Amino acid sequence: MNDAKSTANRDTVTLTDNSTGKSLELPILGGTVGPRAIDVSKLYAETGYFTYDPGFTSTASCDSNITYIDGEVGVLMHRGYLIEDLAENSDFMDVCYLLLHGELPDAKEKTRFEKSITYHTMLHEQMNNFFRGFRRDSHPMAVMVGVVGAMSAFYHDSTDINDPHQRMVASHRLIAKMPTIAAMAYKYSVGQPFVYPRNNLSYAENFLHMMFSVPCEEYQISPVLARAMDRIFILHADHEQNASTSTVRIAGSSNANPFACIAAGIASLWGPAHGGANEAVLQMLNEIGSKDRIPEFIKRAKDKDDPFRLMGFGHRVYKNYDPRAKVMQKSCHEVLGELGIEHDPLLEIAMALEKIALEDDYFVEKKLFPNVDFYSGIILKAMGIPTSMFTVLFAVARTVGWVAQWREMIEDPKQRISRPRQLYHGYAQRDYVPLDKR
Ligand code: CMC
């Protein structure tokens, strides 16, 4: 039905409706790298047809200059820089600046940026009351959704999305305050007093300080652990149009304020198919319990009638090893070494599971490789971070990606409210049935 051809000015694809014989030429759009896209934006107006693509497996929803993934090869780049290079040579503040501004900062720009983030780390004191409204056993992601959404009620001077300065202030506030909110959610859950941020610490150090210091004893921050935490933040910073980022873009497309949009992103991230997978991986490794039970779990993952999946395996885009998982695996060994943990039973199960799965026909055929969440939980657990906080850390790191993508969308002249269409399978019009006749 379709054939691609090149015209003098542009490439097009011709769509022919076999029932009417009518044809329509659709432009093919190309980016810098990666697959090209057929522009169907005029399709409905010209033909009365929609396209149908549940889960958006073949649909590009926007133009973007921020992040590129080649899932077949296993490549992830931010603004053209490979994630492995950024994880090795940059810190999280560099990566935040890069995602927000398009270039790595020079020394002066970096100092100014870090100062702005540091300046915004404290939370409005009255927001402390919000935490007290939650049950102590609330999942910290529930607290994050609520408190980040509540920021809209406290920072009125940065909710005008039409003002570029306010957009930037809101972006900095969100990046700066997320670790504070996350650590407060944790402190509340364990009944300890909130610990205020300290301006002389780096982003990752500050987070560890707010998590683990108590008024009677300062937490001694290990540089190896701070570097590992910083690297975890880098590896989760952005991942193009994933579910939570698309949620942020869709929420923002109605011109909702940035705090409300990021709260929507956090809600989407929570699910175990997305950011919740790091928590689910650890639960799964604990459930497996010993290496000899791995075959049983592999069998369950392959069974169509069993909803169980190997958590931390598979990805919508990566059909190769997730490049973030490789860095994470290396970091995992460094952290366990620093902490003097020679034999971690969960790591041993994880490594054995990975080996068996990578050799199994089912996983090979379906191209199911370990993803970023497979090893992160083991590192976080070794650092003393409770399992329920794993997805919260993902949210802290992903905030920069969300705000960068949100700002790119607002600044795109082509931006319109996101409003997908549907294929309706419900009743056609029918007569109303009064209550006594039902
Ligand atoms: N274990 C067993 N089978 C799997 C798995 C898995 N982890 N993942 C996919 N499959 C199978 C699935 O059953 C399907 O088989 P079939 O074609 O026979 O029906 C096939 O592989 C394709 O799976 P899909 O669900 O259609 O693929 P998707 O692109 O819609 O889903 C995914 C991607 C990440 C949701 C899925 O691989 C999954 O549920 N993985 C486990 C959860 C996880 O680790 N999520 C973290 C993703 S990375 C971080 C992030 O983005 O937040």
Side-chain angles (χ1 to χ4, degrees):
M1 177 154 144
N2 298 327
D3 67 302
K5 66 176 180 183
S6 201
T7 62
N9 299 322
R10 56 177 196 178
D11 289 341
T12 60
V13 66
T14 305
L15 182 75
T16 306
D17 181 345
N18 293 332
S19 61
T20 61
K22 283 190 186 157
S23 290
L24 177 70
E25 264 192 34
L26 297 166
I28 298 178
L29 310 175
T32 334
V33 274
R36 298 192 296 166
I38 301 167
D39 180 354
V40 293
S41 54
K42 301 269 180 337
L43 184 71
Y44 177 63
E46 303 274 346
T47 66
Y49 285 120
F50 298 141
T51 55
Y52 177 69
D53 184 19
F56 307 117
T57 52
S58 300
T59 298
S61 59
C62 61
D63 293 281
S64 184
N65 297 335
I66 302 175
T67 291
Y68 174 75
I69 302 173
D70 184 336
E72 298 300 324
V73 185
V75 164
L76 166 62
M77 298 187 300
H78 296 315
R79 306 280 191 186
Y81 294 105
L82 285 171
I83 191 68
E84 294 89 337
D85 283 345
L86 292 171
E88 187 64 33
N89 304 308
S90 271
D91 63 18
F92 185 58
M93 285 295 100
D94 263 345
V95 175
C96 286
Y97 189 96
L98 176 70
L99 290 170
L100 286 174
H101 298 284
E103 297 296 337
L104 286 166
D106 62 25
K108 232 163 115 186
E109 287 163 339
K110 188 166 177 187
T111 307
R112 209 177 317 134
F113 180 68
E114 279 178 328
K115 208 169 158 201
S116 174
I117 297 297
T118 305
Y119 175 80
H120 286 294
T121 48
M122 268 174 59
L123 211 54
H124 191 295
E125 192 65 13
Q126 205 182 322
M127 288 193 82
N128 294 358
N129 300 332
F130 260 88
F131 290 87
R132 302 206 162 92
F134 286 95
R135 284 169 53 135
R136 294 263 179 200
D137 61 355
S138 306
H139 194 287
M141 281 299 274
V143 177
M144 295 301 287
V145 175
V147 175
V148 173
M151 285 175 77
S152 335
F154 284 87
Y155 300 104
H156 295 146
D157 59 344
S158 54
T159 50
D160 179 359
I161 62 146
N162 297 312
D163 177 347
H165 177 69
Q166 291 202 27
R167 288 202 294 272
M168 184 55 82
V169 174
S171 304
H172 288 199
R173 276 191 171 134
L174 278 156
I175 296 166
K177 292 184 201 304
M178 283 294 274
T180 314
I181 298 172
M184 287 169 83
Y186 170 64
K187 287 294 193 194
Y188 183 72
S189 74
V190 289
Q192 288 181 6
F194 298 139
V195 173
Y196 287 89
R198 271 197 13 217
N199 287 359
N200 62 333
L201 297 176
S202 74
Y203 193 85
E205 287 169 345
N206 202 18
F207 175 67
L208 292 171
H209 158 71
M210 292 187 289
M211 281 287 291
F212 297 123
S213 283
V214 283
C216 48
E217 194 172 328
E218 188 78 2
Y219 173 71
Q220 295 306 316
I221 304 163
S222 140
V224 175
L225 298 195
R227 178 70 186 126
M229 181 56 75
D230 191 76
R231 206 170 269 155
I232 288 177
F233 289 149
I234 292 176
L235 295 177
H236 289 87
D238 190 48
H239 214 228
E240 54 120 305
Q241 308 313 319
N242 56 83
S244 57
T245 302
S246 298
T247 302
V248 169
R249 279 188 179 253
I250 290 185
S253 77
S254 71
N255 296 346
N257 79 70
F259 304 109
C261 297
I262 301 305
I266 297 172
S268 167
L269 185 76
W270 193 358
H274 191 9
N278 52 13
E279 184 176 340
V281 168
L282 216 76
Q283 282 159 356
M284 176 189 76
L285 294 175
N286 273 318
E287 201 187 331
I288 296 176
S290 65
K291 282 195 243 173
D292 54 303
R293 291 191 67 206
I294 292 175
E296 181 193 322
F297 282 80
I298 297 263
K299 195 168 160 229
R300 282 187 62 195
K302 296 188 323 193
D303 181 355
K304 282 259 158 285
D305 299 324
D306 189 332
F308 174 77
R309 285 185 166 201
L310 271 198
M311 300 314 285
F313 264 78
H315 197 274
R316 169 62 63 77
V317 184
Y318 292 119
K319 301 302 165 203
N320 204 325
Y321 214 103
D322 180 339
R324 301 168 300 172
K326 279 191 193 149
V327 182
M328 205 66 96
Q329 192 195 41
K330 192 170 154 240
S331 209
C332 190
H333 289 290
E334 277 170 24
V335 168
L336 297 182
E338 163 74 6
L339 295 171
I341 304 173
E342 277 169 26
H343 297 291
D344 180 70
L346 290 188
L347 179 64
E348 281 164 19
I349 296 171
M351 288 176 65
L353 178 66
E354 178 186 353
K355 190 164 178 300
I356 294 171
L358 288 176
E359 287 165 0
D360 188 287
D361 284 351
Y362 173 93
F363 289 86
V364 172
E365 268 162 36
K366 292 187 191 302
K367 299 185 175 170
L368 300 169
F369 290 86
N371 58 48
V372 68
D373 293 319
F374 193 65
Y375 283 104
S376 59
I378 297 171
I379 310 184
L380 294 173
K381 177 179 167 276
M383 283 173 155
I385 310 269
T387 319
S388 62
M389 285 295 289
F390 291 1
T391 313
V392 173
L393 287 194
F394 195 154
V396 169
R398 184 55 58 85
T399 297
V400 63
W402 289 331
V403 293
Q405 300 265 354
W406 168 76
R407 283 180 49 222
E408 184 179 66
M409 180 202 62
I410 300 286
E411 287 159 20
D412 182 350
K414 293 202 289 292
Q415 190 268 320
R416 301 171 73 185
I417 189 165
S418 290
R419 176 50 170 101
R421 305 303 289 254
Q422 63 171 15
L423 196 55
Y424 177 67
H425 290 288
Y427 285 107
Q429 186 183 340
R430 53 182 178 155
D431 290 336
Y432 181 78
V433 184
L435 186 59
D436 60 344
K437 300 256 162 50
R438 280 174 223 162

